[in-house]
Amino acid sequence: MTATQETKTKLTFRQFIDQLPDDEGYYELVEGEIVRRVPTRRHDDIADLLTDIFQSEVKEKNHNYRVSGRIVIQTTKEDGTEQGRHPDITVVDRDIWEAYPTSYSVLLEPPQMVVEVVSTNWEDDYVDKLEEYQRLKIPEYWIVDYLAVASRSYLGNPKQPTIFVYCLDENGLYKTNAYRESDRLISPTFPELQTTVSDIFKS
């Protein structure tokens, strides 16, 4: 996604939510400023496909989850700065979601799982968001690098499109597995998932 700053005013998370625009695009609170991210069509296609797959798993396996691409999550940086993140996909426990039916699509508690589909600003997903999601203790975090834009230290040489699945260990730290080509994606959230990386990237 291409990021453009919308304001220089340092905002709290609550002020950010109150000022969220209604137009298309994803908005996040980064370093006290509202940032707009506009996804490409290919980016949207992959996010939509994964959303459909997860929703099918929820329905067929009777998981108690809600899957959405419209949820904003409050996170914090190491120094305590409030951030507002809008993952491409969020999977949240349905009991948590339905406990506040009149609230906005905002979460202050950790969801079960989030997915970020990577575009040119890959460091945000691999570094900043990973640290924030780990700090919030989100159990599962996927980075979907369909363009293979991250550095070789992540993707290897030659670089290949990869899906990284990060899961919290007993110490609250992320451990990762990298999946490529015909690898079946292993997800603690959806343990019966039969989807491969090729299924996602051939769409």
Side-chain angles (χ1 to χ4, degrees):
M1 297 181 182
T2 301
T4 56
Q5 293 182 347
E6 298 293 323
T7 177
K8 294 295 184 180
T9 305
K10 298 295 184 181
L11 301 175
T12 65
F13 182 77
R14 175 51 57 188
Q15 290 169 330
F16 162 65
I17 294 302
D18 290 341
Q19 295 183 29
L20 272 177
D22 295 327
D23 60 351
E24 293 185 3
Y26 291 69
Y27 290 87
E28 295 190 327
L29 177 67
V30 182
E31 300 286 355
E33 299 177 358
I34 296 178
V35 174
R36 184 182 186 221
R37 306 188 186 281
V38 182
T40 64
R41 293 180 183 180
R42 176 67 171 148
H43 179 287
D44 266 355
D45 286 345
I46 289 175
D48 288 347
L49 176 60
L50 278 168
T51 298
D52 290 344
I53 290 170
F54 294 156
Q55 288 176 336
S56 293
E57 286 291 301
V58 168
K59 183 177 180 179
E60 293 173 9
K61 309 302 190 304
N62 199 30
H63 292 301
N64 192 42
Y65 296 136
R66 173 175 171 79
V67 182
S68 177
R70 298 189 299 273
I71 296 175
V72 176
I73 301 170
Q74 181 178 1
T75 65
T76 58
K77 296 180 58 182
E78 187 175 8
D79 64 5
T81 301
E82 293 181 351
Q83 305 271 80
R85 297 301 189 177
H86 186 161
D88 292 295
I89 306 169
T90 300
V91 180
V92 60
D93 186 291
R94 189 173 291 277
D95 292 338
I96 293 175
W97 182 259
E98 293 179 349
Y100 306 99
T102 61
S103 297
Y104 296 111
S105 295
V106 174
L107 283 180
L108 305 181
E109 55 273 278
Q112 170 63 31
M113 174 183 179
V114 293
V115 176
E116 297 285 2
V117 180
V118 181
S119 293
T120 54
N121 60 323
W122 64 270
E123 295 96 337
D124 288 354
D125 299 322
Y126 280 89
V127 180
D128 299 336
K129 292 181 183 180
L130 186 144
E131 291 177 354
E132 291 169 31
Y133 293 157
Q134 178 178 266
R135 188 170 297 111
L136 187 58
K137 299 192 181 305
I138 297 175
E140 186 171 348
Y141 171 38
W142 286 25
I143 297 178
V144 181
D145 195 343
Y146 70 100
L147 292 173
V149 295
S151 68
R152 289 186 176 87
S153 63
Y154 291 98
L155 298 174
N157 188 15
K159 297 198 295 183
Q160 298 181 63
T162 304
I163 296 178
F164 294 94
V165 176
Y166 291 83
C167 299
L168 287 180
D169 66 12
E170 63 276 7
N171 298 313
L173 300 176
Y174 276 140
K175 301 299 182 184
T176 182
N177 286 303
Y179 300 94
R180 301 178 177 91
E181 298 180 337
S182 61
D183 293 341
R184 182 171 76 88
L185 293 155
I186 306 301
S187 167
T189 301
F190 300 107
E192 298 177 74
L193 189 68
Q194 297 299 313
T195 304
T196 69
V197 175
S198 298
D199 293 334
I200 304 302
F201 292 158
K202 73 180 181 182
S203 63

